[in-house]
Amino acid sequence: MAKKTKYYVVWSGRKKGIFTSWEECRKSIEGFHQARYKSFETKTQAQQAYENPYYDYFKIKKEEDSAQPNNIAARLKDEFNQGQLPVIDSLCVDAACSGNPGVMEYRGVHILTGKQIFYYRHPYGTNNIGEFLALVHGLSYLKRHNLPQPLYTDSVNAMKWVMQKKCKTKLEDNAKTHDLFEYIHRAEQWLANNTYTTQILKWDTERWSEIPADFGRKK
């Protein structure tokens, strides 16, 4: 039996349009930052999709049991291999706090492999501080290793603080938090003294489920 033809719509890539083979589609999107594409079973479906915004089609259902980085990464990679989802070789960061303030943690995760690249914990901090420090740590890591990957965060606040080069926390600097504030000052100093080419991108939780660096503690 002849293999059924699939139709691949590329909304954003080196070449936009409708392709009838995965290899043609791959050449257009592989390595292309923020490529947008999806496969369809019929030519009519593909033509209708191409005439509409990709947002109408580029969605992923949330999975309650996929909070761990490796599970999310595996699902994303599987979708990519099937030509359903553009996955970029990138780093993502996230923070968690048991109480706010409380025990604060953050980490950086490589999306395609689910590998934890870095991790930090402090016995007393806030989630916003963690998101800010995670983002600066990610920027520093990518620059230090001369890596071109973009950096994802789900925190608009952290993106704003990084842009302003200032952690605008209301947490008090005292004996309990002094070492944390020293860490914050080092992060601010790094931002003041360094330039970087890394793209900081907002992770779209609604469409892509939780960010792979998520600690999976949401109730």
Side-chain angles (χ1 to χ4, degrees), residues 3 13 54 146 150 180 182 196 206 213 217:
K3 186 178 180 181
Y54 80 89
N146 195 30
L180 175 62
E182 286 186 343
Y196 53 87
E206 182 178 351
R217 298 173 187 166

mmCIF file of all heavy atoms in Angstrom, residues 3 13 54 146 150 180 182 196 206 213 217:
data_model
loop_
_atom_site.group_PDB
_atom_site.id
_atom_site.type_symbol
_atom_site.label_atom_id
_atom_site.label_comp_id
_atom_site.label_asym_id
_atom_site.label_seq_id
_atom_site.Cartn_x
_atom_site.Cartn_y
_atom_site.Cartn_z
ATOM 1 N N LYS A 3 2.283 4.856 0.724
ATOM 2 C CA LYS A 3 2.264 5.678 1.933
ATOM 3 C C LYS A 3 1.408 6.909 1.711
ATOM 4 O O LYS A 3 1.536 7.612 0.700
ATOM 5 C CB LYS A 3 3.696 6.079 2.308
ATOM 6 C CG LYS A 3 3.773 6.821 3.627
ATOM 7 C CD LYS A 3 5.221 7.130 3.951
ATOM 8 C CE LYS A 3 5.316 7.879 5.282
ATOM 9 N NZ LYS A 3 6.738 8.207 5.606
ATOM 10 N N GLY A 13 9.421 30.137 8.920
ATOM 11 C CA GLY A 13 10.593 29.318 8.637
ATOM 12 C C GLY A 13 11.418 29.967 7.542
ATOM 13 O O GLY A 13 11.132 31.089 7.110
ATOM 14 N N TYR A 54 -1.209 30.815 12.967
ATOM 15 C CA TYR A 54 -0.779 29.540 13.531
ATOM 16 C C TYR A 54 -1.315 29.337 14.936
ATOM 17 O O TYR A 54 -1.441 28.200 15.404
ATOM 18 C CB TYR A 54 0.753 29.441 13.527
ATOM 19 C CG TYR A 54 1.448 30.174 14.638
ATOM 20 C CD1 TYR A 54 1.692 29.554 15.859
ATOM 21 C CD2 TYR A 54 1.857 31.492 14.480
ATOM 22 C CE1 TYR A 54 2.330 30.226 16.877
ATOM 23 C CE2 TYR A 54 2.490 32.170 15.498
ATOM 24 C CZ TYR A 54 2.722 31.531 16.692
ATOM 25 O OH TYR A 54 3.341 32.195 17.721
ATOM 26 N N ASN A 146 29.673 30.234 25.834
ATOM 27 C CA ASN A 146 29.568 30.692 24.443
ATOM 28 C C ASN A 146 28.500 29.917 23.678
ATOM 29 O O ASN A 146 28.720 29.447 22.547
ATOM 30 C CB ASN A 146 30.928 30.565 23.738
ATOM 31 C CG ASN A 146 30.987 31.350 22.439
ATOM 32 O OD1 ASN A 146 30.316 32.374 22.300
ATOM 33 N ND2 ASN A 146 31.778 30.879 21.495
ATOM 34 N N PRO A 150 18.494 30.336 22.967
ATOM 35 C CA PRO A 150 17.648 31.296 23.678
ATOM 36 C C PRO A 150 17.367 30.804 25.092
ATOM 37 O O PRO A 150 17.612 29.637 25.418
ATOM 38 C CB PRO A 150 16.372 31.337 22.834
ATOM 39 C CG PRO A 150 16.321 30.005 22.171
ATOM 40 C CD PRO A 150 17.754 29.623 21.909
ATOM 41 N N LEU A 180 21.781 35.971 51.026
ATOM 42 C CA LEU A 180 20.971 35.974 49.816
ATOM 43 C C LEU A 180 21.113 37.314 49.096
ATOM 44 O O LEU A 180 21.248 37.361 47.867
ATOM 45 C CB LEU A 180 19.502 35.710 50.140
ATOM 46 C CG LEU A 180 18.518 35.805 48.963
ATOM 47 C CD1 LEU A 180 18.841 34.757 47.905
ATOM 48 C CD2 LEU A 180 17.073 35.656 49.453
ATOM 49 N N GLU A 182 23.620 39.308 49.220
ATOM 50 C CA GLU A 182 24.948 39.371 48.611
ATOM 51 C C GLU A 182 24.919 38.689 47.245
ATOM 52 O O GLU A 182 25.547 39.151 46.285
ATOM 53 C CB GLU A 182 25.978 38.698 49.522
ATOM 54 C CG GLU A 182 26.338 39.508 50.759
ATOM 55 C CD GLU A 182 27.455 38.868 51.556
ATOM 56 O OE1 GLU A 182 27.728 37.662 51.348
ATOM 57 O OE2 GLU A 182 28.069 39.566 52.375
ATOM 58 N N TYR A 196 25.171 40.814 26.530
ATOM 59 C CA TYR A 196 24.882 39.451 26.081
ATOM 60 C C TYR A 196 23.998 39.500 24.844
ATOM 61 O O TYR A 196 23.273 40.486 24.607
ATOM 62 C CB TYR A 196 24.210 38.642 27.196
ATOM 63 C CG TYR A 196 22.980 39.290 27.792
ATOM 64 C CD1 TYR A 196 21.722 39.090 27.229
ATOM 65 C CD2 TYR A 196 23.084 40.107 28.915
ATOM 66 C CE1 TYR A 196 20.597 39.684 27.765
ATOM 67 C CE2 TYR A 196 21.961 40.707 29.472
ATOM 68 C CZ TYR A 196 20.726 40.495 28.898
ATOM 69 O OH TYR A 196 19.606 41.097 29.424
ATOM 70 N N GLU A 206 0.078 28.404 28.568
ATOM 71 C CA GLU A 206 -1.258 28.026 28.113
ATOM 72 C C GLU A 206 -1.204 27.068 26.929
ATOM 73 O O GLU A 206 -1.980 26.118 26.851
ATOM 74 C CB GLU A 206 -2.052 29.279 27.723
ATOM 75 C CG GLU A 206 -3.481 28.976 27.287
ATOM 76 C CD GLU A 206 -4.263 30.229 26.947
ATOM 77 O OE1 GLU A 206 -3.763 31.340 27.214
ATOM 78 O OE2 GLU A 206 -5.376 30.087 26.409
ATOM 79 N N ALA A 213 11.420 23.422 33.418
ATOM 80 C CA ALA A 213 12.166 23.625 34.659
ATOM 81 C C ALA A 213 11.246 23.703 35.876
ATOM 82 O O ALA A 213 11.713 23.837 37.014
ATOM 83 C CB ALA A 213 13.004 24.910 34.586
ATOM 84 N N ARG A 217 5.042 21.651 41.836
ATOM 85 C CA ARG A 217 4.439 21.729 43.175
ATOM 86 C C ARG A 217 3.170 22.539 43.232
ATOM 87 O O ARG A 217 2.714 22.913 44.295
ATOM 88 C CB ARG A 217 5.467 22.325 44.149
ATOM 89 C CG ARG A 217 6.702 21.455 44.286
ATOM 90 C CD ARG A 217 7.747 22.122 45.101
ATOM 91 N NE ARG A 217 8.975 21.342 45.087
ATOM 92 C CZ ARG A 217 10.156 21.785 45.498
ATOM 93 N NH1 ARG A 217 10.239 23.020 45.971
ATOM 94 N NH2 ARG A 217 11.228 21.025 45.436
#
